[in-house]
Amino acid sequence: MNFSEHNQADIGNPTRDYVGDRLSRITPSGPGYFSLTSDDGSYVQTAGARMKLVIEYRKSNGDSFRHYVLGRDDISNPSATQINSAVGQINLMADEILDIDDVIDVFGHFLECGAVPRQYKLRDDTKRFQDSGSDEP
């Protein structure tokens, strides 16, 4: 696993405690985004601030991938909204606004299992990358 932090050198094979500590420092002014990438290229990434975060999950499969935005099943608010981050405003649905506890949970689970916890719903956002011709977020 490789842990990346906004404006910092990458860290190989981080511990769960290290990742949780670094994630808890997220702010819209920076460090504003983090990612954790597995050897197969799958990753989780987050941006925002402690109380309003977006979490994305990319599942690689050889030369292809599926890209998802995580959300809560227990919130039924389909309205579009935005959050601020160090990389600018991010458009998402209201039920996709997560917090620091969610991101620490998701990153920790991904670090240990290579997947995201089942309690989060996944909105497939792969088309955004196919339309742009890029595999970069």
Side-chain angles (χ1 to χ4, degrees), residues 35-56:
S35 66
L36 186 60
T37 306
S38 67
D39 293 340
D40 74 353
S42 297
Y43 64 78
V44 290
Q45 66 183 13
T46 189
R50 292 178 56 85
M51 298 306 293
K52 291 184 177 182
L53 295 161
V54 62
I55 304 173
E56 295 181 336

Side-chain angles (χ1 to χ4, degrees), residues 114-134:
V116 297
R118 292 188 182 266
Q119 73 259 30
Y120 296 94
K121 69 178 184 175
L122 302 175
R123 176 175 57 88
D124 193 330
D125 194 34
T126 308
K127 189 171 180 352
R128 171 173 51 126
F129 300 95
Q130 294 167 338
D131 291 346
S132 71
S134 171

Side-chain angles (χ1 to χ4, degrees), residues 30-117:
Y33 60 85
F34 298 88
S35 66
L36 186 60
T37 306
S38 67
D39 293 340
D40 74 353
S42 297
Y43 64 78
V44 290
Q45 66 183 13
T46 189
R50 292 178 56 85
M51 298 306 293
K52 291 184 177 182
L53 295 161
V54 62
I55 304 173
E56 295 181 336
Y57 169 54
R58 164 104 26 123
K59 176 64 179 156
S60 292
N61 186 12
D63 291 336
S64 65
F65 65 86
R66 302 302 302 176
H67 194 93
Y68 304 94
V69 178
L70 277 66
R72 296 178 193 230
D73 269 335
D74 60 344
I75 299 173
S76 59
N77 186 346
S79 63
T81 190
Q82 294 180 328
I83 62 171
N84 294 318
S85 78
V87 294
Q89 287 193 325
I90 299 171
N91 298 315
L92 63 162
M93 303 306 287
D95 60 351
E96 296 168 345
I97 296 174
L98 303 174
D99 63 29
I100 192 63
D101 292 333
D102 293 307
V103 79
I104 289 172
D105 180 43
V106 169
F107 272 59
H109 191 86
F110 187 81
L111 183 63
E112 293 171 358
C113 303
V116 297

